Amino acid sequence: MHPFTYTKASDTREALDSGRRGGRYIAGGTTLVDLMRETVERPETLVDITGLPMRAVTATTHGGLRIGALVSMTEAAAHPRVRALYPVISQSLELSASAQLRNMATIGGNIMQRTRCTYFRDVTAACNKREPGSGCAAREGHNRAHAILGTSDRCVATHPSDVAVAFAALEATVHLLGPDGERRVPFASFLLRPGSTPDREQALRKGELITAVEIPALARPLRSGYLKVRDRQSYEFALTSAAVALHVRGGVIREAKVAAGGVGTVPWKLPAVEEHLVGERPSEALWTAAARTAADGARPLTHNRFKVELLRRTVERQLRIVGGTK
């Protein structure tokens, strides 16, 4: 681990001042500390933000929900409003990591976590995300767990967060605070596809701090849920996953929110699946037909071609679980 200095911010202004000078924010530290040990991350200054007032889950005036950036994964998953209004968020959190990690890790840190690509974490391997211009060892290497959607010739790494898939499906908004004030960024624009700059992963400006994630109000009753397919049933990242939310009234699907994980360089919204569902009556045939579009545009690599069919089946199964057949 490279030498670094540590400071704990006593208030938001102090944190922003440190961030503007290049300090790296740390809260739970469950990803950042690991990467520092492996010398993938080499911050000169860590700014502890755990004392800042961002630990509340509150209802918004428009009927949505605002989850503070420092709310732990465990707290968010167990919160009565989250469980009642957005089961897809609770389920995605409970299927993530281990209980110990969920107790430490925060919502803000979770969506900021970096890829689990083994080449990214091996400082001897070529990786454009870690070292721009060095190449991408994963493209011709062992790429079973890598992305099939949103890739570029520079990077094929997946985003590992489960709850980010739920946020993408629900079309959440990220609240930011920086030296220039507050701003809000749609979740779909917050995490960046790799393109020619895979080292730039979020739409954050220098010194900006995530303060909360806001879930918009959605029509009720809303049925939702998260399905995660992985090599083992505990402490494993997704091969594929599906977050689904459906508003069904009068036997007809009025609104559909669907996103996939484990397959994209960012949590992958599935508008073609959503469009196929809206205005239709739930049925086995509908789930199958909608899920056929889930992998449209996929560009599989040598070892992950199985993800194309696995993604379709994952989405179809979760549509059936959430939507039923009547």
Side-chain angles (χ1 to χ4, degrees), residues 35 38 40 115-131 134-146 154-157 301 303:
L35 293 174
E38 295 167 354
V40 174
T115 180
R116 308 303 297 190
C117 173
T118 53
Y119 300 103
F120 168 76
R121 289 174 176 253
D122 177 359
V123 294
T124 67
C127 175
N128 290 316
K129 186 179 288 294
R130 188 187 66 251
E131 186 176 344
S134 63
C136 176
R139 289 197 66 85
E140 302 301 328
H142 186 68
N143 46 42
R144 177 176 181 271
H146 288 71
R154 307 288 179 90
C155 184
V156 292
L301 302 163
H303 303 113

Side-chain angles (χ1 to χ4, degrees), residues 102-122:
R102 293 196 295 271
N103 288 338
M104 285 293 295
T106 64
I107 290 297
N110 187 286
I111 62 176
M112 287 287 291
Q113 66 178 297
R114 306 196 71 184
T115 180
R116 308 303 297 190
C117 173
T118 53
Y119 300 103
F120 168 76
R121 289 174 176 253
D122 177 359

Side-chain angles (χ1 to χ4, degrees), residues 178-193:
D180 299 324
E182 299 180 18
R183 68 186 182 110
R184 304 169 62 169
V185 178
F187 201 82
S189 303
F190 180 73
L191 297 175
L192 306 180
R193 299 185 191 186

